[in-house]
Amino acid sequence: MKRIAVMSSHRGTNLQAIIDGAKRRLFAGTVELVISNNKSSYALVRAREAGIPTLWISRKFSSSQEEFEHKIIDALSSHDIDIVCLAGFMRVLSASFIARYRGRMLNIHPALLPSFPGMDAQRQALCHGVKISGCTVHFVDEGVDTGPIILQRAVPVLDDDTVESLSERILAEEHVAYIEALKLVCEDRLCIRGNRVFTRCPEPTGGTSID
Ligand code: GRF
């Protein structure tokens, strides 16, 4: 079983989906730690209700980005975490932090990347007039929402969609997508070649391999 940490800044519905998925054994992992940079994040409440250790690590109460990240690394190490799931974590992480967890850190984004990276993805999709949007689970790299894509789920954009209605429909798919991605990652079924993620590795590997 993989030991998973989830990092979330606000309401934590993806965290909840991951907690529920772990409880139902939909993937071979357990949620061992929830970290938030926001003391009043509802994600922390969800974790406490599920009996999962929580940590509030604030950038504001750290003297530098380096110190902030050191606190996170210490927490992840002391809980022996294998996989880090970003789920609405609203803080940028440095290249050295990302390098440490390369191939082991996932993120979810509410658009079909590489379209509409960054903030307000659902609004960007509506403004652009696309007919299909969706969500993407990807490994994290140094860019903003640029890492190797694990999987995507599509959602039609309807004529009467608002940012709220589209976001809600995408969010329901996010909850499914994160579980599907974790199933693949926890079973070491993925390998990364350049920017592509394969479920059938070209050669046998002992885990997620990276060129
Ligand atoms: C989700 O839309 C996710 O794709 C984005 O931030 C939002 C987090 O929502 N990265 P929640 O906190 O999991 O409900």
Side-chain angles (χ1 to χ4, degrees), residues 25-142:
R25 296 177 185 276
L26 298 182
F27 52 83
T30 51
V31 184
E32 298 292 339
L33 179 65
V34 171
I35 297 176
S36 186
N37 60 319
N38 170 13
K39 194 180 185 181
S40 43
S41 163
Y42 196 63
L44 293 175
V45 176
R46 292 177 191 276
R48 276 184 222 116
E49 279 173 358
I52 297 165
T54 59
L55 270 179
W56 166 50
I57 301 179
S58 161
R59 171 65 183 86
K60 270 188 243 156
F61 290 96
S62 309
S63 59
S64 62
Q65 178 72 14
E66 206 182 346
E67 189 193 308
F68 171 62
E69 292 184 358
H70 257 122
K71 290 178 188 168
I72 298 175
I73 291 168
D74 280 352
L76 296 174
S77 307
S78 68
H79 284 80
D80 223 356
I81 295 301
D82 300 306
I83 296 168
V84 179
C85 293
L86 303 183
F89 188 69
M90 304 305 283
R91 273 276 165 193
V92 173
L93 297 163
S94 72
S96 70
F97 184 96
I98 287 161
R100 182 182 278 259
Y101 295 99
R102 189 182 296 281
R104 301 193 289 138
M105 181 154 62
L106 283 61
N107 183 42
I108 188 150
H109 183 75
L112 296 178
L113 293 170
S115 294
F116 316 128
M119 298 298 285
D120 265 338
Q122 302 94 331
R123 184 182 303 278
Q124 291 184 54
L126 275 183
C127 289
H128 203 92
V130 295
K131 299 299 181 194
I132 298 174
S133 191
C135 61
T136 304
V137 185
H138 63 93
F139 287 112
V140 177
D141 73 2
E142 288 77 5

Side-chain angles (χ1 to χ4, degrees), residues 190-210:
L190 302 180
C191 59
I192 306 171
R193 293 284 183 271
N195 217 31
R196 294 185 69 188
V197 178
F198 295 90
T199 45
R200 276 190 178 188
C201 299
E203 76 244 322
T205 60
T208 302
S209 67
I210 306 168

